[in-house]
Amino acid sequence: MSSLNDMALRKLAELEAGSLRRRLKETDRKAGAYVERGGRTLISFCCNDYLNLAHDPRVIAAAKSALDEWGASAGASRLVTGNHSIFAELERRLAQLKQTDDCLVFGSGYLANLGIIPTLMKPGDLILADELSHSCLLSGTQLSGATAFRFRHNDMAHLRELLKTHRAGANNCLIVTDGVFSMDGDLAPVPEMADIAKTHDAWLMTDDAHGIGVIAEGRGSSFAAGAKADVPLQMGTLSKAIGSYGGYICASQPVIDLLRTRARTLIYSTGLPPASAAAAIAALDIIETEPGYAALPVEKAQRFTRALNLPEAQSPIVPLVLSDPETTLNASAFLEEQGFLVTAIRPPTVPDGTARLRFTFTALHKDADIDRLAELVRTRVLDKRAAE
Ligand SMILES: *Cc1c(COP(=O)(O)O)cnc(C)c1O
């Protein structure tokens, strides 16, 4: 056993030396944008609950009622006895929002991508992924055994070049991208990608974990240009702006039927707790009836980028790249002392040399708090760096 511990200790020491060790810190989330950590109340600028719906009384009431009716767990895989009636309603609602035939809900967004991609793709097929795609898209790609290449971030010329070189030698081809990039906050050029995919007989899959609920009246990045872009595979999560938990894919009837039958992370994993599904439905009700509320996180992010002369925010996510992990950790610790929680994001979550503060904005952030944070960042993080 000691060789096992030795290995773990050696790896931890290496990570520590590079300021790359991670630790879990107990942080209790409260209503609004507040969290409690170490006995202090902080204003969080790093939650993905963009609409603060996790604490919305209507969402909580829906979850409680489902909890009372169906209990705390689904009890089995959905294909055995875990398919509570509420899942059908949730899937109908998501398909409606995304304008597709049908939808399939998974235990989480990560599980969805691990199930979807290997069901659709196999050795002999080709997958082209934006280099900044979320980890679970890349893991799903690896699991599928298809030949895979990454194209430079949002670089459509590079995507076209890879298709020219590799498409003809492959059977089927899938193009995958985040709709809203999780660590950068920019959007993929979805309509252009849809055109490129069509030209090369490729299938486009967008991961809209950070788009649903907050972009284009809550419909997500496929609708950012107005009309729905032709995206046959719209995947996302219920764990961010929807304020609950779970993953989904919206697609055509045959695709969803195939995934229901074959996706391993659906078949061999327990269904979502019914209360999570009920919470998600209540959240969708709010998003669909209050588009002005759904627009707030992006507006708040834009207030921040304007104050700092940063490129205008396209989503609720604003990165501030400080490059090295130690500087970023120090900046994060400084902001925490000042009452703001802004987590340092380090490799391998982001590429080497691009450690950053990642600010996320939520509907209930107060303008005065955003202004105070911007002022602190300008005077104590950016000016300090410029002086060095
Ligand atoms: C968070 C995230 C996921 C994972 O979703 P979970 O429901 O949290 O497992 C997938 N893709 C992207 C782009 C994400 O940001």
Side-chain angles (χ1 to χ4, degrees):
M1 278 313 277
S2 81
S3 65
L4 173 59
N5 286 340
D6 288 349
M7 176 279 294
L9 289 168
R10 199 171 51 245
K11 287 196 167 171
L12 285 169
E14 278 168 23
L15 290 166
E16 192 80 67
S19 295
L20 295 176
R21 177 164 178 180
R22 301 176 188 215
R23 288 184 171 80
L24 290 168
K25 293 188 187 153
E26 279 180 29
T27 310
D28 293 338
R29 296 189 56 230
K30 304 284 167 189
Y34 302 101
V35 299
E36 261 178 37
R37 180 182 276 188
R40 293 174 67 214
T41 298
L42 304 168
I43 306 171
S44 171
F45 283 87
C46 49
C47 293
N48 300 323
D49 179 15
Y50 300 117
L51 298 170
N52 309 95
L53 292 179
H55 283 86
D56 188 282
R58 295 162 287 183
V59 172
I60 292 173
K64 273 186 182 158
S65 140
L67 194 58
D68 289 340
E69 188 164 355
W70 290 300
S73 158
S77 161
R78 290 184 57 192
L79 288 152
V80 183
T81 56
N83 196 36
H84 291 262
S85 49
I86 198 160
F87 293 140
E89 186 187 343
L90 176 58
E91 289 173 343
R92 231 177 3 253
R93 292 292 301 274
L94 286 164
Q96 229 170 48
L97 183 74
K98 297 286 187 177
Q99 299 177 6
T100 59
D101 293 346
D102 204 354
C103 168
L104 180 62
V105 166
F106 289 78
S108 75
Y110 208 111
L111 285 172
N113 280 337
L114 291 190
I116 295 160
I117 299 175
T119 304
L120 303 177
M121 307 306 284
K122 59 178 195 290
D125 292 336
L126 173 67
I127 300 179
L128 300 175
D130 188 288
E131 64 183 349
L132 297 185
S133 296
H134 191 266
S135 157
C136 58
L137 285 169
L138 303 175
S139 300
T141 296
Q142 270 176 352
L143 264 183
S144 76
T147 303
F149 297 96
R150 295 195 202 183
F151 54 93
R152 287 187 294 272
H153 176 50
N154 276 351
D155 184 339
M156 295 299 103
H158 193 209
L159 172 60
R160 284 197 181 87
E161 195 183 304
L162 288 173
L163 282 161
K164 278 206 187 91
T165 313
H166 302 288
R167 176 67 188 97
N171 185 16
N172 294 316
C173 176
L174 178 72
I175 300 172
V176 299
T177 184
D178 287 18
V180 175
F181 285 86
S182 57
M183 296 299 137
D184 293 77
D186 54 342
L187 270 57
V190 176
E192 188 180 354
M193 293 183 89
D195 284 346
I196 295 172
K198 197 173 272 173
T199 308
H200 293 270
D201 186 23
W203 310 327
L204 178 60
M205 173 171 176
T206 54
D207 177 336
D208 218 22
H210 298 275
I212 187 171
V214 290
I215 301 290
E217 302 195 331
R219 290 181 190 282
S221 61
S222 305
F223 298 81
K228 182 189 165 200
D230 190 3
V231 183
L233 299 160
Q234 298 185 74
M235 174 271 161
T237 178
L238 306 171
S239 324
K240 287 164 186 165
I242 308 299
S244 179
Y245 198 66
Y248 67 83
I249 177 143
C250 292
S252 68
Q253 199 62 61
V255 169
I256 295 296
D257 287 346
L258 175 67
L259 290 169
R260 275 200 185 108
T261 308
R262 299 293 291 178
R264 297 171 68 92
T265 52
L266 178 85
I267 301 172
Y268 300 110
S269 188
T270 301
L272 268 187
S276 299
I281 292 169
L284 290 171
D285 285 340
I286 295 168
I287 290 163
E288 286 175 13
T289 51
E290 299 177 29
Y293 187 71
L296 284 175
V298 179
E299 290 169 18
K300 303 272 178 189
Q302 289 172 345
R303 182 181 183 92
F304 183 75
T305 51
R306 267 198 311 275
L308 286 174
N309 265 328
L310 296 171
E312 176 162 82
Q314 294 174 263
S315 75
I317 304 164
V318 178
L320 188 66
V321 176
L322 299 175
S323 304
D324 92 281
E326 201 183 341
T327 311
T328 311
L329 283 173
N330 289 342
S332 170
F334 167 74
L335 292 175
E336 187 170 334
E337 279 164 28
Q338 302 296 314
F340 296 106
L341 191 62
V342 184
T343 306
I345 307 285
R346 294 167 286 164
T349 307
V350 292
D352 278 334
T354 70
R356 67 195 65 184
L357 295 175
R358 171 182 178 268
F359 301 87
T360 58
F361 293 84
T362 68
L364 296 182
H365 274 127
K366 296 189 177 117
D367 288 347
D369 291 332
I370 294 170
D371 297 347
R372 209 153 51 83
L373 175 63
E375 185 60 15
L376 273 177
V377 170
R378 195 174 60 74
T379 55
R380 301 297 298 272
V381 178
L382 293 177
D383 288 356
K384 185 158 164 262
R385 198 168 55 131
E388 268 162 16

